[in-house]
Amino acid sequence: MFYPYIYPHKSIILSMKKIYFLVYFITIASQVNAQKTNPAPSKPVTDEYHGVKVVDEYRNLEDLKDPATINWMKSQTDYANTVLKNIPNRQYYINKRIELDKRKSFTVSNIYITENDVYFYLKKTPAQNTARLYYRKGFSGEEIELYNPESFLPQNKKQYQINYIKPNYDGSKVAIALTEGGKEISNMVIYDVISNKLLPQVITNCWPSDGGGISWLSDNNSFIYLYYPVTDPNSKFFLKDMASVLYTVGDDPKKLRVLLSKENNQDLKINSEDFPIVNTPAKDSQYLIGRISGAIRFKDTYYMKSSDILKKNQWKILFHKEDKVSSFIIKENQIIYISEKNGTNAIYCTSLLNPDFKSPELIISPIQDETIKSLNTIKDGFIFTTTRNGVEAKLYTYKNNKPESLKLPIPAGDVFVTTLNDRSNDFWITCNGWKNDTERFKYSSVAKRFVSENIAPLVEYPEFRDIIVEEITVKSHDGLDIPLSIIYKKGIEKNKRNPVIIDAYGAYATINSPYFAKTYLLWALQGGIVAIAHVRGGGERGEKWHEGGYKSTKPNSWKDLISCTEYLINEGYTSSDNVAIWGASAGGITIGRAMTERPDLFKAIIIDAGVTNALRMETTPNGLNNVKEFGSSKVEPEFKALLEMDAYQQVKKEIKYPSTLINGGINDPRVSPWIPAKFAAKLMANNISDNPVLLKIDYDGGHGGDISVAKMYDNLADTFAFALWQLGHPDYQPKN
């Protein structure tokens, strides 16, 4: 907006505005022309895979130290920021999110409750960019601030975020992990609650939020964490040869006591890219559990006696990944687990003294139209949750050899359960939904009822009362029913002008569960429709759903999205000129391939840190780990699947592609920033439409998480302003 220095006559102001907009659009037009006449540097490379030659026109962009690559990426980012920051009404989403935040005096997250009823949690007020660590003795106890991340390494002049906390069992100490710039790799410090001071040791080379967390031992003074030898995401050794190590508070963190690693446990055939994670199931557990983990749902899992923790060669196989155990608990000498072996989804039990996963005891049979999702232990049995289509949660207890369904205190699309230990039947649940704020309840086993226990205050959002959520299913290309969530404002009429944004993911068996999506609700308030397509590759209907969009079956992920889009158009909700699709990370495969297969079906595309060059993902530091989900180019059938799911390779010449916003992070440890850069470069070179293709690399960010609230809202504003601009919303159109 133009702001005159003084207040002249209205006609003069209007004339000055016309001059401003003329200059602005001449500038933008020249930049668009420059984008076409000054394309990305290209040095094609031809690879041969199993007799098939594949040309990679922008292999040179993988060298992030090449000055030509650096200059091109930065110039594209500058251009994208210029365009995005000048979209009229872009500030709406930032202002509204801040306004909604201010209704709450504070928000909390990462709640942990110790066995002696000490509460630890992160808390943030609307005026703060980063959350701080607090604790209180009992739910009604006095709140005390323990740690402010702004005090960490002030000499670095960087903004650190707390991305993980874990207190010990008696609440006398708490581990705090801190990260900066979206790098996710963390430094960890220990706060001594009793002496009220931060201990001097700093544990480096860890990533507890993604490596299975840390496990305190029963002495309340030692814990196990996953160590990363190399933390530079640009190194070829990054995410390689990790080790689970034992640390005792006060020791030198550089002196590692390894419990599980490729080097120490060569008999277990651990690969360099595997995550060897060790944890303790409970404080007094007789066993340690070791999992060969990573980007995979089912894991080879080992166990050993806790008393043998520092002895070598004590690990024994508990179950193999082929047993398809998705979750388990240990009660004394028994393991109770969810298995999806042979197409089932049921709960079984076997003895740890003589494990038998071929003929276990069946405890809970498959439940019709429900997928058993999680297990939690309590004194007299266990808790388990189920989901229907990923959007309707149910809760059960299992006591005295029989299950009982518990009525939730409020309807919930998703439920998260936490329990204390094997000595209590009390537990907590967190309920989530598309249009209701997250609520927390404690279940009293004595009173047999739920009691509200929200640390943060609940507030009203009257503007969202008229929001409607429909949960339906849509026939896909092969006749299978695909769950589709539709969110809109009451009274909206079906017509071809409705702006629609569709979110899709579909990988790693991840469930796209309901959560209080304020930004989606704001879209609905502006007359738009939000749809969440629960495509195959996710876990909405268990492992079969995951396998339906996995490696060779991956095309189902984007074909499901296409079918959902066609349904909304055919049913009169919208038209192809008013549809945007949005996805992130592995969702980049779903979004990118829907776009390249049906460019006529969509008007706008937004991909955040997306896997758009699947064929080359294997060469990245995080690539070998993701082979487990997407496949390897070294295996012929998997190569063919990778080539098919590679949006970059599927971009064709002389095609009119939709408007596209492609985001990446220079510090991204999961999806290397050259992946979105290559996709953008090829799209710009081959697109013959007048639709913009914008590439924005965040030079202070990573994969999208562990950033300040201000940065998060700024990114969301770019996404939604871009979509509404391209879908023709009148408030987002530049005025002539």
Side-chain angles (χ1 to χ4, degrees):
M1 179 62 69
F2 173 76
Y3 294 97
Y5 181 69
I6 56 175
Y7 294 91
H9 189 271
K10 182 179 179 181
S11 62
I12 297 177
I13 294 176
L14 291 175
S15 297
M16 294 175 74
K17 284 184 177 180
K18 289 179 181 179
I19 292 171
Y20 166 78
F21 283 117
L22 179 62
V23 171
Y24 168 69
F25 282 109
I26 289 173
T27 302
I28 293 298
S30 65
Q31 287 176 317
V32 171
N33 185 58
Q35 191 181 46
K36 292 181 178 295
T37 58
N38 186 26
S42 173
K43 296 180 181 178
V45 172
T46 300
D47 297 307
E48 185 169 327
Y49 304 88
H50 310 285
V52 178
K53 292 184 178 181
V54 179
V55 179
D56 188 343
E57 293 93 334
Y58 295 95
R59 177 69 58 81
N60 52 295
L61 295 184
E62 295 181 12
D63 182 1
L64 296 177
K65 295 181 180 179
D66 184 344
T69 297
I70 295 170
N71 292 336
W72 181 79
M73 287 173 60
K74 287 191 172 180
S75 67
Q76 290 300 321
T77 298
D78 291 342
Y79 167 60
N81 283 326
T82 300
V83 174
L84 294 168
K85 298 301 184 283
N86 284 284
I87 297 173
N89 211 37
R90 175 188 175 274
Q91 193 67 24
Y92 171 84
Y93 273 88
I94 298 174
N95 293 343
K96 291 299 292 185
R97 287 304 304 264
I98 293 173
E99 176 191 325
L100 294 175
D101 287 350
K102 286 182 177 179
R103 294 186 195 176
K104 275 191 173 185
S105 53
F106 60 89
T107 58
V108 300
S109 62
N110 298 62
I111 301 171
Y112 285 91
I113 304 171
T114 65
E115 61 183 15
N116 54 343
D117 203 35
V118 180
Y119 285 59
F120 290 86
Y121 50 91
L122 300 182
K123 173 183 173 182
K124 193 191 81 64
T125 68
Q128 296 168 340
N129 248 334
T130 60
R132 302 175 183 183
L133 173 62
Y134 290 79
Y135 87 112
R136 59 173 70 175
K137 295 180 179 179
F139 175 67
S140 302
E142 178 188 0
E143 178 180 82
I144 299 173
E145 180 180 323
L146 280 182
Y147 187 71
N148 180 352
E150 293 176 2
S151 66
F152 184 68
L153 300 179
Q155 65 273 20
N156 289 355
K157 296 181 180 180
K158 294 181 179 180
Q159 189 174 72
Y160 289 89
Q161 311 277 332
I162 298 176
N163 67 341
Y164 181 82
I165 62 170
K166 186 67 176 290
N168 60 3
Y169 294 105
D170 65 5
S172 61
K173 299 180 182 70
V174 57
I176 309 165
L178 302 111
T179 186
E180 59 91 12
K183 294 180 179 178
E184 302 186 71
I185 293 291
S186 309
N187 292 304
M188 193 155 54
V189 294
I190 311 297
Y191 198 94
D192 189 311
V193 180
I194 304 301
S195 60
N196 193 28
K197 67 178 182 181
L198 189 72
L199 300 182
Q201 293 80 17
V202 177
I203 302 168
T204 62
N205 298 59
C206 56
W207 189 353
S209 59
D210 196 65
I214 72 169
S215 269
W216 285 92
L217 302 187
S218 59
D219 65 359
N220 284 310
N221 201 49
S222 305
F223 59 80
I224 304 165
Y225 74 97
L226 189 65
Y227 173 80
Y228 294 74
V230 177
T231 59
D232 178 6
N234 297 313
S235 169
K236 65 180 181 180
F237 300 109
F238 180 57
L239 297 181
K240 303 290 189 300
D241 298 325
M242 289 80 74
S244 269
V245 301
L246 174 64
Y247 177 72
T248 298
V249 175
D251 286 355
D252 181 357
K254 297 186 182 302
K255 294 181 179 179
L256 305 179
R257 290 184 289 172
V258 176
L259 301 181
L260 184 62
S261 71
K262 176 186 176 183
E263 181 179 353
N264 274 35
N265 306 91
Q266 296 184 16
D267 57 317
L268 303 187
K269 310 294 185 194
I270 299 173
N271 297 318
S272 289
E273 70 273 12
D274 290 334
F275 287 57
I277 295 173
V278 175
N279 58 35
T280 56
K283 176 184 176 182
D284 299 322
S285 175
Q286 301 177 52
Y287 302 95
L288 292 176
I289 302 297
R291 293 174 292 150
I292 310 306
S293 188
I296 188 169
R297 190 179 185 202
F298 306 121
K299 307 163 181 67
D300 288 335
T301 300
Y302 300 84
Y303 72 126
M304 65 183 287
K305 286 281 188 179
S306 299
S307 55
D308 294 334
I309 187 169
L310 292 176
K311 295 180 181 179
K312 290 188 176 182
N313 304 318
Q314 296 298 310
W315 291 108
K316 296 187 296 183
I317 187 70
L318 181 56
F319 54 80
H320 297 279
K321 56 179 175 288
E322 289 78 13
D323 291 305
K324 295 192 173 181
V325 174
S326 59
S327 180
F328 67 90
I329 58 174
I330 289 177
K331 297 181 75 67
E332 295 181 349
N333 287 314
Q334 284 190 320
I335 177 171
I336 300 169
Y337 63 97
I338 304 170
S339 175
E340 306 205 36
K341 191 174 181 180
N342 300 323
T344 64
N345 174 248
I347 300 178
Y348 301 88
C349 176
T350 189
S351 169
L352 284 171
L353 301 177
N354 187 23
D356 183 0
F357 286 85
K358 292 183 178 179
S359 303
E361 177 187 352
L362 175 65
I363 298 179
I364 302 293
S365 299
I367 303 173
Q368 186 174 1
D369 296 328
E370 297 178 36
T371 299
I372 301 173
K373 183 181 173 185
S374 70
L375 278 175
N376 293 84
T377 186
I378 55 175
K379 179 181 177 182
D380 295 334
F382 58 87
I383 309 292
F384 67 98
T385 65
T386 70
T387 182
R388 181 178 179 273
N389 289 339
V391 296
E392 182 184 338
K394 291 188 178 181
L395 179 69
Y396 297 84
T397 62
Y398 183 85
K399 296 179 181 179
N400 301 318
N401 299 320
K402 65 177 182 178
E404 178 186 355
S405 177
L406 291 182
K407 183 180 179 181
L408 294 172
I410 60 173
D414 187 36
V415 168
F416 179 74
V417 179
T418 55
T419 60
L420 277 179
N421 48 44
D422 283 343
R423 296 187 295 276
S424 173
N425 285 318
D426 293 346
F427 60 91
W428 291 261
I429 64 169
T430 302
C431 298
N432 297 290
W434 294 121
K435 57 175 288 187
N436 58 279
D437 202 353
T438 298
E439 292 193 49
R440 184 178 174 87
F441 299 88
K442 182 177 181 179
Y443 183 78
S444 170
S445 58
V446 176
K448 294 186 177 181
R449 65 187 181 95
F450 287 100
V451 178
S452 179
E453 195 179 272
N454 293 293
I455 296 176
L458 292 176
V459 299
E460 294 291 328
Y461 300 94
E463 58 267 67
F464 298 151
R465 287 175 184 164
D466 289 336
I467 298 295
I468 305 295
V469 177
E470 286 187 47
E471 302 291 0
I472 65 171
T473 59
V474 172
K475 293 291 183 186
S476 192
H477 67 103
D478 56 359
L480 200 65
D481 288 332
I482 310 303
L484 180 67
S485 305
I486 308 176
I487 304 170
Y488 56 88
K489 187 177 180 181
K490 182 180 179 180
I492 193 172
E493 295 182 2
K494 289 183 178 180
N495 66 63
K496 295 182 179 181
R497 298 182 301 277
N498 288 325
V500 171
I501 189 165
I502 308 175
D503 173 14
Y505 186 72
Y508 307 112
T510 298
I511 300 176
N512 210 343
S513 301
Y515 65 99
F516 188 38
K518 294 177 186 175
T519 307
Y520 284 164
L521 302 181
L522 290 172
W523 176 284
L525 289 184
Q526 290 188 290
I529 298 172
V530 177
I532 299 91
H534 303 277
V535 302
R536 278 172 279 185
E540 281 82 351
R541 290 179 177 168
E543 183 57 17
K544 284 185 177 180
W545 203 249
H546 175 221
E547 292 174 348
Y550 168 83
K551 293 187 178 179
S552 63
T553 61
K554 191 63 185 171
N556 286 326
S557 296
W558 63 83
K559 291 181 185 295
D560 290 348
L561 173 57
I562 289 170
S563 295
C564 289
T565 306
E566 290 176 330
Y567 170 86
L568 292 171
I569 293 170
N570 295 337
E571 291 296 313
Y573 284 92
T574 188
S575 64
S576 59
D577 286 335
N578 288 282
V579 174
I581 54 175
W582 181 29
S585 193
I589 295 175
T590 301
I591 302 299
R593 284 298 284 115
M595 168 198 182
T596 49
E597 186 160 308
R598 288 293 306 277
D600 60 307
L601 195 60
F602 314 102
K603 174 59 179 173
I605 311 293
I606 302 102
I607 302 177
D608 295 334
V611 182
T612 50
N613 191 191
L615 190 58
R616 292 287 294 166
M617 183 71 181
E618 189 174 355
T619 67
T620 70
N622 196 31
L624 287 176
N625 196 26
N626 282 278
V627 162
K628 303 165 186 175
E629 174 72 16
F630 304 126
S632 171
S633 61
K634 298 175 183 177
V635 180
E636 185 171 2
E638 294 183 359
F639 153 70
K640 292 178 180 178
L642 284 166
L643 184 60
E644 180 64 21
M645 70 178 80
D646 191 313
Y648 168 76
Q649 286 295 340
Q650 299 299 327
V651 172
K652 307 300 181 186
K653 296 182 182 296
E654 304 299 309
I655 298 292
K656 292 184 177 181
Y657 286 107
S659 306
T660 311
L661 172 60
I662 304 163
N663 296 308
I666 202 68
N667 298 321
D668 194 338
R670 302 173 189 259
V671 178
S672 298
W674 53 258
I675 290 179
K678 287 174 65 179
F679 182 59
K682 191 170 182 180
L683 200 56
M684 291 173 189
N686 289 278
N687 180 28
I688 62 170
S689 76
D690 293 327
N691 296 320
V693 177
L694 304 181
L695 171 66
K696 189 184 75 167
I697 301 297
D698 184 352
Y699 284 89
D700 294 313
H703 199 61
D706 295 334
I707 57 176
S708 69
V709 172
K711 185 69 174 177
M712 178 177 68
Y713 288 174
D714 195 64
N715 291 341
L716 284 172
D718 284 346
T719 293
F720 284 87
F722 174 81
L724 289 167
W725 166 37
Q726 290 303 308
L727 301 188
H729 192 290
D731 293 345
Y732 293 81
Q733 305 309 305
K735 307 285 193 300
N736 290 325

